[in-house]
């Protein structure tokens, strides 16, 4: 009887442990989804929440996921130093303990960050690494949307180097990939980002109707998940079209909507662009007071961003120089090691040959002595 009771107690304890672990995992997954959406509306709060929960996470995949959420929030805030520091921490975990999906996520993310810094060669290195994992490893169907991230970054690199005609197919394919997986809410943000990029390209090639359609698609998907960042970008895109069509009052109205949400979003690049567009539209309608006011705000934000990005770029470039220097030192050490090895082998061979010659000479001398004695 006691034995049966003890077995039951053990079973109950085991079930409670499994249940509590499963509940904790569900809570972490649920919080991760919430934070991924928060990144674009309140990045500082998202970072703070990650810092609170991260020390409690032991699963490598979950650690990587939370680190990338934090890195993405830093990217929205344009804190490039923190972005790279956090992403490289995630890469170390991915390389040592992560799954193929983890390596794909991290390499793709880092490639995107280098692209934002204008370091396309370095970006391609990581994007190609991500693409290799995507093509050669087993990626669950539910995560195939990650292929869209690779396409977006490749499209951005193509746009910079070759122009929008070459970039558009990548952006369109990315949007198509993401739309297959919109049941996962974060992919609605990705669809919006893809449409914003498509629309940007259509503006560049002066197809304003197609651009307006795609910005409105971006707005639709952004509103589904309350993504303030992609929503603001799409609205600013529409204002650019209205300005081109000399509908300045219409452009000002939509820019004022974006401006009203800027305090909560705290995105410097959007602030700068909104101020610039407002100043240009007020200039077009000859409102000198508002033109001068928003021009001043635009130049102040530009100075702040240049200072921050220069500082971040210097840090990254210095890091690359150190990496190159380290690689050169390692190559030099390997060369010296190989050279010393070759010298030692050469000495060993020469010693062996000398030994064989001496031995042979002794043998000949001995034979000569024997012949002389016989004579």
């Amino acid at each position: 009887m006691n034995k049966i009771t003890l077995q039951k107690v053990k079973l109950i304890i085991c079930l409670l442990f499994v249940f509590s672990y499963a509940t904790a995992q569900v809570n972490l997954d649920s919080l991760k989804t919430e934070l991924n959406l928060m990144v674009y509306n309140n990045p500082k709060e998202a970072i703070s929440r990650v810092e609170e929960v991260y020390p409690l996470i032991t699963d490598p995949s979950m650690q990587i996921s939370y680190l990338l959420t934090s890195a993405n929030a830093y990217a929205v805030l344009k804190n490039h130093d923190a972005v790279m520091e956090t992403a490289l921490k995630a890469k170390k975990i991915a390389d040592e303990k992560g799954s193929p999906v983890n390596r794909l996520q991290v390499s793709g993310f880092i490639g995107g960050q280098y692209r934002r810094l204008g370091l396309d060669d370095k970006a391609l290195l990581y994007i190609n690494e991500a693409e290799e994992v995507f093509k050669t490893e087993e990626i669950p169907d539910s995560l195939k949307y990650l292929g869209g991230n690779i396409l977006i970054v490749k499209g951005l690199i193509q746009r910079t180097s070759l122009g929008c005609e070459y970039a558009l197919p990548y952006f369109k394919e990315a949007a198509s990939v993401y739309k297959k997986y919109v049941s996962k809410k974060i992919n609605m943000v990705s669809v919006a980002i893809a449409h914003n990029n498509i629309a940007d390209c259509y503006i560049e090639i002066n197809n304003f109707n197609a651009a307006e359609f795609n910005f409105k698609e971006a707005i639709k998907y952004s509103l589904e998940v309350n993504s303030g960042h992609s929503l603001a970008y799409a609205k600013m895109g529409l204002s650019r079209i209205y300005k081109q069509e000399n509908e300045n009052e219409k452009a000002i109205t939509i820019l004022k909507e974006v401006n009203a949400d800027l305090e909560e979003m705290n995105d410097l690049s959007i602030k700068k662009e909104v101020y610039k567009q407002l100043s240009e539209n007020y200039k077009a309608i000859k409102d000198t007071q508002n033109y001068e006011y928003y021009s001043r705000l635009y130049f102040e934000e530009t100075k702040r961003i240049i200072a921050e990005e220069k500082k971040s770029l210097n840090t990254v470039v210095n890091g690359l120089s150190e990496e190159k220097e380290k690689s050169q030192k390692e190559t030099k050490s390997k060369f010296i090691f190989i050279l010393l090895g070759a010298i030692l082998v050469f000495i060993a061979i020469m010693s062996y040959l000398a030994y064989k010659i001496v031995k042979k000479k002794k043998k000949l001398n001995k034979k000569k002595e024997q012949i002389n004695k016989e004579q």
Side-chain angles (χ1 to χ4, degrees):
M1 183 72 177
N2 287 338
K3 189 176 178 183
I4 294 170
T5 307
L6 186 61
Q7 285 175 342
K8 284 183 178 179
V9 169
K10 284 180 179 178
L11 180 61
I12 291 167
I13 290 171
C14 184
L15 288 172
L16 283 171
F17 175 77
V18 171
F19 178 74
S20 63
Y21 177 80
T23 305
Q25 194 69 20
V26 169
N27 288 341
L28 283 172
D29 283 333
S30 176
L31 179 60
K32 184 182 67 175
T33 302
E34 180 189 334
L35 294 179
N36 280 334
L37 296 173
M38 189 188 291
V39 157
Y40 298 99
N41 303 316
N42 194 345
K44 285 186 176 179
E45 178 63 17
I47 292 164
S48 178
R49 298 281 294 279
V50 170
E51 287 174 352
E52 284 174 18
V53 76
Y54 184 79
L56 307 174
I57 303 171
T58 55
D59 177 64
S61 289
M62 196 62 74
Q63 286 176 333
I64 290 162
S65 187
Y66 270 78
L67 285 170
L68 288 182
T69 297
S70 187
N72 209 14
Y74 280 123
V76 172
L77 294 171
K78 300 294 182 289
N79 186 342
H80 300 298
D81 292 348
V83 173
M84 295 309 295
E85 184 183 338
T86 309
L88 290 171
K89 185 177 177 182
K91 189 167 194 321
K92 187 178 178 187
I93 298 171
D95 290 343
E96 291 175 359
K97 311 175 198 173
S99 65
V101 169
N102 295 147
R103 297 199 303 276
L104 168 61
Q105 288 172 314
V106 175
S107 294
F109 181 85
I110 294 173
Q113 292 311 305
Y114 276 122
R115 207 289 314 167
R116 285 185 184 92
L117 290 168
L119 301 168
D120 283 356
D121 289 344
K122 197 75 176 171
L124 267 176
L125 185 69
Y126 282 94
I127 285 301
N128 288 339
E129 190 178 305
E131 192 169 35
E132 181 67 18
V133 174
F134 189 77
K135 287 178 177 177
T136 60
E137 300 281 2
E138 287 290 328
I139 306 298
D141 287 343
S142 61
L143 294 172
K144 289 286 176 71
Y145 68 87
L146 293 170
N149 299 353
I150 295 169
L151 290 164
I152 286 285
V153 179
K154 285 207 159 189
L156 291 168
I157 292 169
Q158 290 289 338
R159 183 181 174 184
T160 303
S161 57
L162 297 171
C164 271
E165 291 83 356
Y166 294 90
L168 267 170
Y170 287 97
F171 295 144
K172 287 179 178 178
E173 191 179 348
S176 178
V177 168
Y178 290 136
K179 282 177 183 177
K180 292 175 185 174
Y181 305 97
V182 289
S183 57
K184 195 177 176 79
K185 280 190 172 183
I186 191 63
N187 285 329
M188 289 193 182
V189 180
S190 298
V191 174
I193 290 169
H195 276 294
N196 276 331
N197 279 293
I198 293 167
D200 276 342
C201 268
Y202 276 126
I203 285 181
E204 194 171 304
I205 59 178
N206 296 316
N207 187 339
F208 297 126
N209 288 335
E212 185 171 1
F213 171 79
N214 279 282
F215 279 132
K216 285 180 176 176
E217 284 292 287
I219 288 170
K220 179 178 80 176
Y221 282 98
S222 297
L223 288 171
E224 285 285 333
V225 285
N226 192 30
S227 172
H229 188 270
S230 53
L231 179 63
Y233 193 92
K235 284 183 174 182
M236 286 194 304
L238 286 178
S239 76
R240 284 156 59 202
I241 295 170
Y242 299 149
K243 180 176 175 288
Q244 287 284 341
E245 295 172 342
N246 296 315
E247 295 184 77
N248 302 102
E249 295 284 359
K250 200 171 177 181
I252 288 168
T253 300
I254 201 166
L255 286 167
K256 287 278 185 79
E257 288 177 18
V258 179
N259 196 35
D261 297 326
L262 282 177
E263 195 62 41
E264 187 179 341
M265 285 166 50
N266 196 31
D267 188 306
L268 298 181
S269 62
I270 290 183
K271 269 187 185 179
K272 183 188 86 164
E273 190 59 28
V274 167
Y275 295 153
K276 181 186 177 188
Q277 288 194 40
L278 279 168
S279 69
E280 289 173 352
N281 279 285
Y282 276 120
K283 184 180 181 182
I285 61 172
K286 297 181 170 43
D287 185 335
T288 307
Q289 186 177 351
N290 276 310
Y291 161 66
E292 289 177 353
Y293 173 71
Y294 285 107
S295 291
R296 187 176 71 255
L297 290 178
Y298 166 69
F299 285 117
E300 286 172 1
E301 287 303 314
T302 302
K303 276 175 68 177
R304 282 176 62 192
I305 290 171
I306 289 172
E308 284 297 316
E309 294 199 335
K310 185 178 178 183
K311 177 182 161 189
S312 296
L313 192 56
N314 284 340
T315 303
V316 173
V317 170
N318 288 338
L320 292 177
S321 299
E322 286 171 13
E323 189 180 319
K324 186 178 179 182
E325 189 179 337
K326 184 182 175 185
S327 176
Q328 287 173 341
K329 281 181 181 176
E330 286 174 358
T331 304
K332 188 176 178 181
S333 297
K334 284 178 186 174
F335 175 75
I336 290 169
F337 178 78
I338 292 167
L339 183 61
L340 285 172
I343 290 169
L344 288 171
V345 170
F346 177 75
I347 290 169
I349 291 169
M350 292 306 291
S351 299
Y352 176 74
L353 289 173
Y355 167 75
K356 293 291 284 182
I357 290 167
V358 169
K359 191 177 178 184
K360 195 170 183 180
K361 195 172 179 182
K362 281 182 179 179
K363 195 175 179 182
L364 285 169
N365 286 338
K366 195 174 179 183
K367 200 169 183 181
K368 277 183 185 179
E369 285 174 9
Q370 192 177 351
I371 291 168
N372 288 334
K373 281 180 184 180
E374 288 175 357
Q375 289 176 350

